[in-house]
């Protein structure tokens, strides 16, 4: 994106990074540096490759505009927004520092945005780190990573999990450069939401990320992790949308900003693949981290149970009504039928007899409520809770929260929905997409809650203590964020008991007997023209 900073009077800050000198701007007392490359552009010969070290530059590089985002899926108009910023320097970082002098030793908070692994860019106004940096006296870093097919498609000839490798490369940049911006490389906290929370869970399980951060805040952890077989099959179906094979040779010829259209076309028809792909097809999730045994050795829950994160201090939580936003977007809010609720329970509730256990635990719940509960639990709430439980059971320190404050936007219809925590944590209550949740003018109640959450996040980053007791597997104390915050036993006890024995395994290829994407297209008479790419 080419959004320039709003500059205050005074000299513009300059910092000597490893690759060269960058000149930023000042905004409300905070030094801001945007669009600093942390890796070479992953195009041309580097298309679908692991991120490569950025080459240095001579002179002073202007760092006042966000770098161009990676190609995006079409959700929320993100594809059009990404194409407004020409260029292929997708892999860039942005830094907000209250004191950009070497030796200032400030805590560092590195944000990993969400977007279902198919969209997301650090230049969105809701991710502006100025208020968090200024009020919390921390250095805030945001960055871009590859999403969709570019970042997570299982492509023959390419390393898997390229989006996760981008995240590791950004954290290595922080390790090597952040001292020059006033940060302490020994006090790095990663924090992220949704797919960003899932990414943080993955980083906890990755040997390549060891030592790159001391603390982690995982918000609304997306719990989907694919097997290589499942990821390969979905990639084949995606490439078939273009009449191609899922190989570097074939896909490298497709212009980067045209490739996400294939993923969008596949997503529009994923319900046709439910019997083969299972839950991801039911929830329309075409891409997720792949448990490949190397870059990502095991699932995060298994890794933490084995003690992988014992030395990392963890803060994890979710919102109460995670699913509500998605139900509203699909037009089902208040309209869920008994058949739709039954299907959700059948596909998502844990076995054995998860559907029966939900109906027994929530005997008065109507179809809307059951639908929302099982979707929320499967994708976000229980993956987040189980991450905390695995960490605590292995002897690691973890703190848990739930956001239950009802968003005032749209008359409160969204409840405490997915994504509500983002504006509250950053303090950007009146800008960007989440502004619709808060309302046109943030209330004193919203400002007070945001201040409490920002204080908890920055205190955790600085000292490892967000202000409430650590979670254990007996008392299960959590911080409930609402108009009147309180510490209590975990509020979603009924759901916890339903999911108590679930292990969140790798999501498999369900039915190997059904035709592959390529064979299905051929049997239907669709041409498989490998030499002539098309865009749907």
């Amino acid at each position: 994106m080419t959004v320039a900073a709003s500059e205050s009077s005074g000299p513009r800050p300059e910092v000597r990074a490893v690759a060269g000198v960058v000149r930023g701007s000042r905004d409300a007392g905070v030094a801001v540096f945007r669009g600093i490359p942390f890796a070479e552009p992953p195009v041309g010969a580097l298309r679908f490759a692991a991120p490569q070290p950025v080459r240095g530059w001579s002179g002073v590089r202007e760092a006042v505009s966000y770098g161009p985002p990676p190609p995006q899926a079409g959700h929320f108009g993100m594809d059009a927004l990404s194409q407004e910023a020409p260029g292929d320097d997708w892999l860039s970082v942005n830094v907000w520092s209250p004191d950009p002098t070497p030796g200032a030793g400030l805590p560092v908070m590195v944000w990993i945005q969400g977007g279902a692994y198919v969209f997301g860019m650090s230049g969105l106004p809701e991710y502006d780190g100025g208020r968090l940096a200024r009020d919390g006296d921390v250095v805030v870093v945001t960055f871009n990573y590859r999403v969709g097919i570019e970042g997570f498609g299982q492509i023959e000839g390419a390393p898997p999990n390229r989006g996760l490798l981008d995240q590791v490369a950004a954290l290595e940049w922080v390790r090597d450069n952040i001292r020059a911006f006033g940060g302490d490389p020994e006090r790095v906290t990663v924090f992220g939401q949704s797919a960003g929370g899932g990414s943080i869970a993955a980083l906890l399980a990755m040997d390549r990320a060891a030592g790159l951060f001391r603390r982690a805040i995982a918000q609304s952890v997306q719990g989907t992790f694919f097997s290589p077989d499942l990821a390969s099959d979905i990639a084949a179906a995606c490439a078939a949308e273009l009449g191609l094979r899922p190989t570097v040779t074939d896909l490298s010829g497709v212009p980067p900003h045209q490739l996400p259209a294939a993923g969008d076309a596949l997503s529009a028809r994923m319900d046709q693949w439910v019997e083969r792909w299972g839950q991801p097809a039911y929830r329309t999730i075409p891409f997720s981290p792949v448990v490949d045994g190397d870059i990502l050795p095991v699932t995060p829950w298994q890794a933490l149970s084995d003690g992988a994160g014992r030395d990392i201090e963890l803060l994890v939580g979710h919102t109460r009504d995670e699913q509500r936003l998605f139900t509203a977007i699909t037009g089902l809010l208040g309209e869920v039928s008994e058949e739709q609720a039954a299907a959700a329970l059948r596909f998502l509730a844990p076995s054995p007899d998860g559907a029966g256990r939900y109906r027994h635990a929530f005997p008065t719940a109507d179809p809307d409520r059951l639908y929302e509960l099982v979707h929320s639990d499967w994708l976000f709430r229980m993956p987040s809770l189980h991450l905390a439980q695995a960490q605590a059971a292995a002897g690691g320190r973890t703190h848990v929260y739930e956001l239950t404050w009802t968003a005032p936007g749209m008359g409160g219809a969204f409840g405490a929905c997915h994504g509500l925590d983002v504006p509250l944590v950053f303090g950007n209550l009146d800008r960007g997409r989440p502004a619709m949740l808060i309302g046109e003018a943030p209330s004193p109640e919203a400002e007070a809650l945001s201040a409490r959450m920002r204080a908890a996040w920055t205190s955790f980053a600085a000292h490892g203590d967000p202000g409430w007791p650590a979670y254990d597997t007996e008392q299960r104390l959590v911080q409930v964020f609402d108009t009147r915050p309180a510490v209590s036993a975990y509020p979603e006890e009924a759901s916890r008991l339903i999911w108590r024995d679930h292990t969140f395994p790798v999501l498999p290829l369900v039915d190997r007997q059904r035709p592959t994407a390529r064979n299905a297209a051929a049997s239907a008479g669709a041409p498989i023209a490998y030499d002539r790419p098309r865009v749907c």
Side-chain angles (χ1 to χ4, degrees):
M1 299 179 70
T2 56
V3 179
S6 58
E7 297 180 20
S8 304
S9 59
R12 292 173 56 192
E14 291 187 4
V15 166
R16 180 173 293 280
V18 170
V21 178
V22 292
R23 180 188 294 131
S25 59
R26 292 192 182 276
D27 190 353
V30 174
V32 187
F33 304 84
R34 292 174 166 90
I36 306 171
F38 66 83
E40 284 294 291
V43 297
L46 298 180
R47 186 88 178 270
F48 305 115
Q52 300 299 306
V54 66
R55 289 171 289 183
W57 56 83
S58 59
V60 178
R61 183 185 181 104
E62 292 294 325
V64 296
S65 298
Y66 292 112
Q72 307 276 304
H75 306 344
F76 310 110
M78 298 290 279
D79 53 345
L81 187 60
S82 70
Q83 294 181 51
E84 291 177 2
D88 52 23
D89 255 337
W90 306 334
L91 303 182
S92 62
V93 301
N94 318 293
V95 182
W96 289 260
S97 178
D99 184 4
T101 56
L106 297 175
V108 181
M109 299 183 68
V110 182
W111 171 252
I112 304 178
Q113 73 267 356
Y117 302 108
V118 297
F119 67 90
M121 58 185 76
S122 63
L124 295 176
E126 54 260 42
Y127 302 146
D128 184 289
R131 190 173 188 186
L132 188 62
R134 181 176 60 254
D135 294 354
D137 202 26
V138 297
V139 176
V140 176
V141 179
T142 66
F143 64 90
N144 290 330
Y145 61 94
R146 284 172 285 181
V147 293
I149 305 171
E150 297 282 348
F152 293 93
Q154 189 81 346
I155 299 172
E156 183 180 335
N161 296 311
R162 295 171 298 282
L164 295 179
L165 293 177
D166 292 347
Q167 295 171 15
V168 171
L171 288 168
E172 290 173 338
W173 184 94
V174 169
R175 177 196 62 197
D176 298 338
N177 290 274
I178 206 64
R179 191 182 304 276
F181 293 84
D184 182 353
E186 300 298 322
R187 287 200 293 167
V188 173
T189 298
V190 289
F191 70 125
Q193 181 263 352
S194 194
S199 295
I200 287 171
L203 291 171
L204 290 167
M206 293 171 60
D207 293 338
R208 287 169 173 80
L212 294 176
F213 55 92
R214 181 175 176 180
R215 300 183 177 103
I217 305 175
Q219 306 169 212
S220 299
V221 175
Q222 182 170 330
T224 52
F225 288 81
F226 288 179
S227 70
D229 285 348
L230 173 62
S232 295
D233 207 63
I234 293 176
C238 193
E241 294 288 338
L242 301 167
L244 299 172
R245 298 167 298 181
T247 67
V248 169
T249 300
D250 276 22
L251 296 181
S252 290
V254 182
H257 284 288
Q258 293 181 14
L259 193 53
D264 290 344
L266 175 65
S267 294
R269 297 194 301 275
M270 281 192 79
D271 59 335
Q272 300 175 13
W273 295 92
V274 168
E275 291 185 36
R276 184 171 176 84
W277 297 339
Q279 293 167 324
Y282 173 71
R283 269 305 302 244
T284 316
I285 300 172
F287 302 105
S288 284
V290 180
V291 180
D292 65 303
D294 177 21
I295 294 171
L296 183 56
V298 296
T299 66
W301 303 276
Q302 183 63 56
L304 264 60
S305 294
D306 294 341
R310 191 177 293 120
D311 296 332
I312 302 294
E313 293 168 322
L314 178 64
L315 171 60
V316 62
H318 56 75
T319 70
R320 181 189 59 208
D321 308 311
E322 293 279 3
Q323 173 63 21
R324 188 79 55 84
L325 178 66
F326 305 104
T327 305
I329 289 172
T330 55
L332 285 177
L333 196 60
E335 303 292 334
V336 177
S337 67
E338 176 58 41
E339 291 75 18
Q340 289 169 319
L345 291 170
R346 183 173 67 254
F347 277 113
L348 303 180
S351 59
D353 192 30
R357 284 188 284 165
Y358 265 97
R359 293 187 184 277
H360 177 75
F362 303 96
T364 62
D366 61 11
D368 285 277
R369 178 68 174 146
L370 289 170
Y371 182 90
E372 179 174 293
L373 280 167
V374 71
H375 276 278
S376 296
D377 286 341
W378 177 77
L379 190 54
F380 298 117
R381 299 202 312 181
M382 294 304 107
S384 301
L385 179 67
H386 280 226
L387 198 71
Q389 292 183 160
Q391 175 78 333
R397 184 176 180 86
T398 185
H399 297 263
V400 178
Y401 73 90
E402 181 178 31
L403 175 61
T404 60
W405 180 68
T406 296
M410 298 293 291
F414 290 117
C417 67
H418 187 72
L420 179 59
D421 50 332
V422 174
L424 294 171
V425 166
F426 276 90
N428 300 323
L429 305 181
D430 58 354
R431 64 176 81 175
R433 297 170 302 154
M436 69 174 183
L437 303 176
I438 306 296
E440 292 183 5
S443 65
E445 179 183 277
E447 291 284 4
L449 179 57
S450 175
R452 281 192 290 268
M453 294 187 72
R454 292 198 311 277
W457 266 233
T458 55
S459 176
F460 180 77
H463 312 294
D465 182 4
W468 65 88
Y471 182 90
D472 62 51
T473 55
E474 295 181 1
Q475 290 184 299
R476 293 186 287 275
L477 295 179
V478 307
Q479 174 69 59
V480 178
F481 283 107
D482 209 320
T483 304
R484 296 180 179 177
V487 174
S488 70
Y490 181 63
E492 313 305 335
E493 178 68 2
S495 290
R496 186 191 73 81
L497 291 174
I498 292 171
W499 291 81
R500 178 171 51 190
D501 299 323
H502 189 70
T503 58
F504 287 96
V506 176
L507 295 173
L509 185 62
V510 176
D511 186 353
R512 297 175 183 273
Q513 302 306 311
R514 288 180 63 81
T516 64
R518 180 172 183 268
N519 291 338
S523 65
I528 305 297
Y530 291 129
D531 58 338
R532 219 160 32 90
R534 64 184 174 86
V535 177
C536 300

